[in-house]
Amino acid sequence: MADINIKTIISSGNDEAAIEKASEILRQGGLVAFPTETVYGLGADALNEDASAKIYAAKGRPSDNPLIVHIADTKAVYELAESVPEKAVMLMEAFWPGPLTIILNKKKIVPDGTTGGLNTVAIRMPSHPVAMKLIKESGVYIAAPSANTSGRPSPTLAEHVIEDMNGRIDMILDGGVVGIGIESTIVDLTGEIPTILRPGYITRKMLEEIIGDVSIDRAIIEPDPNLRPKAPGMKYTHYAPKGEVTIVESEMTDVKEDHNLSAIDIKPESIKEDEIRPTDKKVIDKINSLVAEKTAQGFKTAVIATKDNAPYYNCDNVLIVGEADKGVTISANLYAILRKCDTIGAEYIYSEALNQNELGGAIMNRLLKAAGHRVIKVN
Ligand code: TXA
Ligand code: MG
């Protein structure tokens, strides 16, 4: 196995020989970053405690933050989990392979080093062909957090992994840009009522259609220091660029009142050509005045805007995150844009609040964390 200090090998994920090499590295206890449909993962053999310890070292990750175990066959769930409730089976059938992680009570075979000392284990079957191939070819279950330095936005391109991990891991499989761009939905199935610990592409509504009532861990929607998130990773400042991020929202599109992170069918008001929604106009005016103020003080600023509103900002760095009503264009771009803020050297970053419907709830969850819940309301 390559020494951890040797420069990381970067290969195409479509290259058979590269998959073979990556598989060998994993079997030997090394680290390989690979694409999934959500974000890039940093993989190690999940059942090898020494190997998963290397993940924590490479990321600078707190040791109480457990890893997700990636599998390619549902049979693996029965090897890793003590019991597999009926609802887990229903979710596996409905959403795997795909961006859903389930939490179950673990069997002894899963080392404490992989679960951060918890007696539960997070399991997911990714749908990305490179991830699938790697799990199958290596013959190991792959423990993989997002392949970023702890606290930075998750990588959605191999280049992001290189930025954070070059020289710290053995190999990177490049699969190009990922499709979804934010991490999987996490559902805890160890309690009486299934609970969402981290919102994602699979919404509450989609889950409820399969298994009935699903609740949401309140600690992830309320920035209350007394509430402790059930997913240890959700308590850390996260996804944050170096500059200070502030979200500006109109009272009419309140981001906090809507605690239902699921799909409520709010139909966006239609935008006529050349006409800005009045609520958006207030947000734009506020952001422009904040930008002017910081620019006058000599600071570098950036604005995160939806496509329709972008032309109305007076800022040197207007970063278009996607189309207001097409969540997946936004989720796919969000982390790359947060990283771009660092490349630009932006010291103050202002973002429009985004739609909360469908995937929007999960996107706002990440954006609020990047902003440390700094929200300005305009009316
Ligand atoms: O989409 C994803 O899930 C990506 C790709 C690579 O699969 N992975 C990912 O892993 O986002 P990571 O480590 O960045 O986030 C895992 C989250 C953390 O918040 C962690 O605390 C939580 O899952 N988690 C893991 N095991 C858990 C457990 N047994 N109980 C509660 N939370 C758990
Ligand atoms: Mg992560």
Side-chain angles (χ1 to χ4, degrees), residues 47 49 69 77-83 103-123 190:
L47 302 187
E49 198 151 28
V69 181
V77 176
Y78 300 86
E79 275 177 56
L80 300 167
E82 194 56 60
S83 58
I103 309 267
L104 299 171
N105 288 315
K106 83 171 184 76
K107 272 194 177 147
K108 275 214 185 73
I109 175 181
V110 187
D112 283 347
T114 297
T115 64
L118 297 177
N119 56 10
T120 54
V121 59
I123 309 174
T190 62

Side-chain angles (χ1 to χ4, degrees), residues 59 61 145-146 148 154 183 198 238-239:
K59 279 181 62 91
R61 180 177 175 108
S146 48
N148 51 288
S154 298
E183 305 83 352
R198 180 174 71 183
H238 222 181
Y239 319 115

Side-chain angles (χ1 to χ4, degrees), residues 84-163:
V84 185
E86 166 125 38
K87 284 180 182 169
V89 176
M90 291 161 85
L91 291 180
M92 282 151 52
E93 275 170 9
F95 299 112
W96 278 3
L100 178 73
T101 296
I102 59 173
I103 309 267
L104 299 171
N105 288 315
K106 83 171 184 76
K107 272 194 177 147
K108 275 214 185 73
I109 175 181
V110 187
D112 283 347
T114 297
T115 64
L118 297 177
N119 56 10
T120 54
V121 59
I123 309 174
R124 139 165 151 84
M125 188 193 290
S127 64
H128 196 289
V130 174
M132 269 294 195
K133 248 190 164 160
L134 183 63
I135 302 166
K136 285 183 185 156
E137 175 103 20
S138 65
V140 306
Y141 304 137
I142 305 181
S146 48
N148 51 288
T149 305
S150 206
R152 290 207 80 200
S154 298
T156 53
L157 281 167
E159 285 75 7
H160 299 161
V161 183
I162 296 166
E163 259 174 42

Side-chain angles (χ1 to χ4, degrees), residues 200-215:
Y201 185 82
I202 308 288
T203 62
R204 183 186 197 174
K205 185 178 172 197
M206 289 159 78
L207 296 168
E208 287 188 331
E209 272 165 14
I210 308 292
I211 55 169
D213 279 356
V214 171
S215 68

Side-chain angles (χ1 to χ4, degrees), residues 182 199-200 203 221 258 260-262 354-368:
I182 60 170
T203 62
I221 36 189
D258 181 10
N260 183 356
L261 295 169
S262 71
L354 302 165
N355 257 341
Q356 284 276 56
N357 54 340
E358 301 281 348
L359 184 53
I363 297 168
M364 273 308 287
N365 166 265
R366 307 306 196 278
L367 193 56
L368 279 163

Side-chain angles (χ1 to χ4, degrees), residues 167-281:
R168 308 175 72 85
I169 65 176
D170 299 301
M171 188 170 184
I172 298 171
L173 291 172
D174 185 348
V177 66
V178 298
I180 294 175
I182 60 170
E183 305 83 352
S184 61
T185 306
I186 302 180
V187 185
D188 184 351
L189 293 161
T190 62
E192 208 168 300
I193 297 177
T195 305
I196 296 174
L197 306 190
R198 180 174 71 183
Y201 185 82
I202 308 288
T203 62
R204 183 186 197 174
K205 185 178 172 197
M206 289 159 78
L207 296 168
E208 287 188 331
E209 272 165 14
I210 308 292
I211 55 169
D213 279 356
V214 171
S215 68
I216 298 178
D217 182 7
R218 294 205 69 78
I220 62 176
I221 36 189
E222 302 206 29
D224 178 344
N226 298 318
L227 292 174
R228 201 183 158 78
K230 294 198 183 78
M234 296 297 279
K235 71 173 180 275
Y236 299 107
T237 322
H238 222 181
Y239 319 115
K242 296 188 183 89
E244 183 185 284
V245 182
T246 303
I247 300 170
V248 178
E249 67 165 330
S250 145
E251 290 280 8
M252 287 175 69
T253 53
D254 194 332
V255 292
K256 287 215 215 72
E257 301 282 288
D258 181 10
H259 287 165
N260 183 356
L261 295 169
S262 71
I264 329 163
D265 257 334
I266 307 168
K267 288 274 172 280
E269 297 161 44
S270 62
I271 307 178
K272 293 197 197 102
E273 291 273 77
D274 296 329
E275 191 185 292
I276 319 170
R277 280 178 276 205
T279 50
D280 286 2
K281 172 112 181 35

